[in-house]
Amino acid sequence: MIEEKKLNEFLLSDPVQSGSLEKTIDSISSTETNEIRSIVDGILAGQVVYLSDASDKAKLFSVGQNPLRAITEPESESIVRGAHNGFVESLDTNIHQLRFHIQDRHLSVHYMDIGERAKTKVAVIYIENIANPEIVDEVKRRLSYLRIDSLLAPGIIEESIEDNSFSIFPQIIHTERPDKAKASIMEGCVIVMMDGSPSALIAPITFFSFFQSPDDYSTRWISASFLRVLRFFAFMIAITLPAFYIALIAFHFEVIPNDLIITMKNSIVDIPFPPLIEAMIMEITIELIREAGIRLPKPISQTIGIVGGLVIGDAVVKAGLISNMMVIVVAVTAVSSFVLPSYEMSTSIRTVRFPLMFLAASFGFIGIGLGFGIILMNLCKLESLGVPYLSSLTPFHFSDLKDAFIPAWFIKRRPFYLRPKDSKQIKHVRGWRRDET
């Protein structure tokens, strides 16, 4: 675990020959301790321990190897416009990237060791004179209660500190983009990162946070606002379109316009399955293709996606098992679920879709309305570190709601729901206009 050549040349060979070993040890960054447990933990972490008869304390220092992955663009979050660097598996490197982006002396990093058998370093990052101290203390308090043998992934941290782990909707955002983490920190959010993972956890957040992307602020605000609205529209399509089609065919055929009745009737007349079974077959097939594409190597996964989408879709239609209309509905639904920039919310949508399909097959439009009521009640009840999940809308705050739909330079206040120490942002970017007169 150590760099043996560095240890021999720098710490042993030259100092021993010159008789200045202790001076060399004192000149490097080290920590002192007289606790056996701390010494053992240091050795297990790859540190070197120096013991001397002249002192009752041991000195621990690092000459560890650095088999680090190079900083590259994150694969899980595509970047259209903006910095093309992403977090890596080294916590120190990730914090360096954040400090490079946020050169503010108030940027604070609080370290914690989590894990009873295998300790993992976790960092809580925030700006001291912006972030709400109550939120910061709450994050630290919840992390302090985490008891586990080994911290394997940031998902364990997420489920341990979020308000409701049984909700289908995520209450914390994952990101591998330093620019997104920077924007969240500057707004007053708290970032939690762990050593060995390239993901940063952002909290607290709201429902509208999952529809925002850093690329929006690199685009003209009118175009970016259109894309934001388009994402909300895609969210509604991804949840309701299969259920709406099932209810339409099974219960409310009279709602279909006269010009489409014959076309839709010809499409479904010879299909042996009811609409719910049709939708379940296609949705499960799409999920299988999607999961296969994720698990397989990239060259093969692209082939699986194309072959699965074209060959299977065409084959089931020609076999008379699935109607043309159902293939179109499922395809549009799948594309809509990919529009959202958050993978966590996209996964939640895929899960919510199935109960709505069963309700639509049982009660028609009334079932869809019942399902939406349950979803809305769950969203209203949810909180993220004590912050209402539907903040900006309920409780209503106009400036926050404006930022949910309009990613613009002229929004001068930080989100009200975060209750930051300093709510006003300095944004006189077009102050030159005042000099024209």
Side-chain angles (χ1 to χ4, degrees), residues 37-342:
R37 183 179 180 84
S38 298
I39 295 174
V40 173
D41 290 342
I43 294 174
L44 293 175
Q47 292 183 306
V48 175
V49 178
Y50 173 71
L51 298 169
S52 171
D53 290 335
S55 174
D56 61 347
K57 292 184 178 181
K59 293 184 179 181
L60 285 78
F61 51 89
S62 297
V63 285
Q65 299 182 16
N66 296 313
L68 302 178
R69 177 170 63 91
I71 296 176
T72 57
E73 181 176 332
E75 296 184 2
S76 60
E77 296 176 88
S78 58
I79 299 172
V80 180
R81 297 181 67 177
H84 288 258
N85 60 317
F87 289 131
V88 294
E89 287 73 18
S90 170
L91 181 60
D92 293 336
T93 304
N94 294 338
I95 292 175
H96 171 74
Q97 290 194 68
L98 285 178
R99 289 197 179 277
F100 178 79
H101 286 280
I102 308 174
Q103 298 178 17
D104 189 330
R105 62 188 178 90
H106 297 287
L107 180 66
S108 298
V109 181
H110 176 80
Y111 292 102
M112 304 177 70
D113 289 326
I114 297 178
E116 300 299 321
R117 290 185 176 272
K119 292 187 179 297
T120 301
K121 185 183 289 186
V122 174
V124 180
I125 309 167
Y126 57 94
I127 294 184
E128 192 172 0
N129 61 349
I130 294 180
N132 188 329
E134 295 180 1
I135 294 176
V136 175
D137 292 340
E138 182 64 16
V139 172
K140 295 178 182 178
R141 186 184 72 85
R142 295 187 185 187
L143 285 173
S144 67
Y145 279 92
L146 181 54
R147 296 289 184 270
I148 193 170
D149 278 351
S150 176
L151 191 58
L152 301 177
I156 298 175
I157 299 178
E158 177 188 4
E159 294 186 5
S160 301
I161 68 174
E162 65 183 0
D163 292 65
N164 188 351
S165 298
F166 295 99
S167 174
I168 200 169
F169 292 101
Q171 297 125 63
I172 294 176
I173 289 182
H174 291 245
T175 185
E176 295 184 20
R177 296 184 58 170
D179 54 352
K180 186 171 183 177
K182 170 193 173 182
S184 300
I185 291 175
M186 295 302 296
E187 285 184 344
C189 292
V190 179
I191 304 295
V192 179
M193 304 188 74
M194 63 171 280
D195 202 9
S197 172
S199 292
L201 304 180
I202 303 174
I205 51 89
T206 67
F207 174 75
F208 301 100
S209 302
F210 294 96
F211 298 86
Q212 300 174 358
S213 170
D215 298 329
D216 297 342
Y217 296 91
S218 299
T219 309
R220 297 187 61 83
W221 69 271
I222 297 177
S223 303
S225 300
F226 169 74
L227 294 177
R228 286 264 179 98
V229 175
L230 185 65
R231 289 173 195 148
F232 284 100
F233 185 63
F235 172 81
M236 296 302 299
I237 291 177
I239 285 183
T240 61
L241 187 57
F244 181 81
Y245 178 78
I246 291 171
L248 201 66
I249 298 299
F251 290 93
H252 308 283
F253 209 85
E254 67 280 359
V255 179
I256 303 174
N258 294 331
D259 296 338
L260 291 178
I261 288 179
I262 297 177
T263 302
M264 295 188 69
K265 182 180 179 181
N266 292 335
S267 175
I268 65 175
V269 66
D270 295 325
I271 303 302
F273 303 116
L276 176 62
I277 303 301
E278 275 191 273
M280 290 295 295
I281 291 173
M282 289 305 300
E283 288 289 351
I284 291 175
T285 302
I286 290 292
E287 294 299 326
L288 291 174
I289 294 173
R290 192 194 316 239
E291 285 300 310
I294 293 174
R295 310 302 169 199
L296 291 172
K298 280 188 176 181
I300 303 176
S301 65
Q302 295 175 357
T303 305
I304 288 293
I306 296 173
V307 171
L310 294 179
V311 175
I312 296 178
D314 183 63
V316 294
V317 171
K318 288 183 177 179
L321 300 177
I322 305 295
S323 65
N324 289 322
M325 293 298 296
M326 182 58 74
V327 173
I328 295 173
V329 167
V330 172
V332 173
T333 303
V335 171
S336 298
S337 65
F338 288 126
V339 172
L340 300 184
S342 170

